[in-house]
Amino acid sequence: VCEAPIQFMPLIGWYRKLVCHDIFVWRSFKQDSPTIKNNIRDFHTADECRMLFLSPEGIVVDYGEKDREYISECRQFCIDQHYLPFEYVLTPRYKGSMTLLEQVRHCKGPMVSICLAYIRDGKLLNCSLISPHRVVPDIYTLNQGCGSYPVDVYIHLKRMHIAQDMNDPKTFMMENYQEKDQILAEWQRQLDARTASEDKWMNQFTLITNNEMECFCYQIGHLVMVVILSVLLNRGDTFIRLFGSIFCLVSGCHTIGWLLNSTSTESVPFETGIKAIALSIEKRKKYCEGIKKKL
């Protein structure tokens, strides 16, 4: 389950839409509820099992004006619901999330709440939402080369029992997110006190490990195979032009997005550039509308 604009991203977005049949939502309950129900019904009709992963907060906030406004709205919502304002997480979009859970509540698989902590060089990247030191991890952050500190990802899992809480989805979701906020706040305290490595704390989490050597071997093997094929087929010049074109497209789109939006939001290729351009067009429209109203 992911935000709707992802389906328009070249290659991976199209694949997720046309092949994977992922659930794309616009963060509007009236618009998303039929989409969720139809998608789940299709998989039930086909008797097809799958794993569903959703982020109930529904958005990743960066550093723009709209992002700061949304953080303020989430904090105010907490106050209105008699909770202390969340410092590390946004408030969940409980209506759409519970619509999804209602469709799968009778399935045999477990439901698990996930909280991730991104640590680099002893610092929590997903620290307080209003902190100037907060880093939003994307594919560039997670795949930085040997010249940078690696990012360690720790995962906290909790089995959820939702059947008895379906009549009050707001409280169910808010309490779950309050717990996640407390987990990340405690991570920050442990790191500041340099006690995060103690077993009593670390036993609650699992470090997501990767096999770097295997990854490098796959990448090198893929490159060697493509080069050999291009030589055997006498298409070396075509290979160079194709590789150069793809590199320029991906890097150019990302650079344009970075310049326009001052941040990288690359969960799939081209996302940073396309989102930044869309936001710039939206800002331009609002600016023109404001000028027309004044006139």
Side-chain angles (χ1 to χ4, degrees), residues 1-9 12-28 31-36 39 50 268:
V1 183
C2 62
E3 56 180 341
I6 294 295
Q7 64 188 305
F8 304 118
M9 303 297 164
I12 294 180
W14 300 340
Y15 179 84
R16 292 180 65 175
K17 171 67 174 179
L18 301 174
V19 179
C20 299
H21 295 284
D22 287 347
I23 302 174
F24 298 95
V25 295
W26 293 98
R27 299 195 298 276
S28 166
Q31 190 172 356
D32 294 335
S33 180
T35 301
I36 294 171
N39 186 287
R50 64 173 172 173
V268 297

Side-chain angles (χ1 to χ4, degrees), residues 5 9 75 79 101 138 140 146 164 209 211 215 226 251 276 289:
M9 303 297 164
R75 293 171 64 86
I79 295 172
L101 295 179
D138 66 353
Y140 287 102
C146 57
Q164 68 274 23
T209 58
N211 191 326
C215 180
V226 171
S251 60
E289 288 174 0

Side-chain angles (χ1 to χ4, degrees), residues 29 33 36-37 40 54-56 92-105 111 160-174 176-177:
F29 178 68
S33 180
I36 294 171
K37 292 178 180 178
I40 296 295
L54 69 150
S55 301
R93 314 285 291 196
Y94 65 92
K95 291 182 180 179
S97 300
M98 296 313 291
T99 298
L100 177 62
L101 295 179
E102 286 173 357
Q103 301 299 309
V104 300
R105 63 184 297 194
M111 292 192 180
M160 304 296 290
H161 303 281
I162 67 165
Q164 68 274 23
D165 297 297
M166 295 299 287
N167 293 327
D168 190 9
K170 184 191 300 182
T171 300
F172 173 75
M173 298 294 291
M174 288 294 289
N176 178 238
Y177 265 67

Side-chain angles (χ1 to χ4, degrees), residues 22 30 36 40 72 79 94 107 123 130 137 140-141 151-152 179 187 194 210 212 216 221 243 259 284 286:
D22 287 347
K30 185 179 294 185
I36 294 171
I40 296 295
S72 297
I79 295 172
Y94 65 92
C107 296
K123 298 177 181 177
I130 58 176
Y140 287 102
T141 310
V151 176
D152 293 322
E179 183 178 1
W187 255 113
R194 300 184 183 277
N210 57 8
E212 294 180 1
F216 288 143
F243 175 81
L259 293 173
R284 182 65 181 175
K286 287 184 177 179

Side-chain angles (χ1 to χ4, degrees), residues 62-93:
D62 296 301
Y63 315 101
E65 182 180 346
K66 287 185 64 177
D67 301 304
R68 292 191 294 270
E69 289 176 358
Y70 189 71
I71 292 172
S72 297
E73 291 172 2
C74 288
R75 293 171 64 86
Q76 185 59 49
F77 181 80
C78 290
I79 295 172
D80 294 342
Q81 302 303 316
H82 308 294
Y83 292 89
L84 291 175
F86 297 161
E87 297 288 342
Y88 294 81
V89 296
L90 301 170
T91 51
R93 314 285 291 196

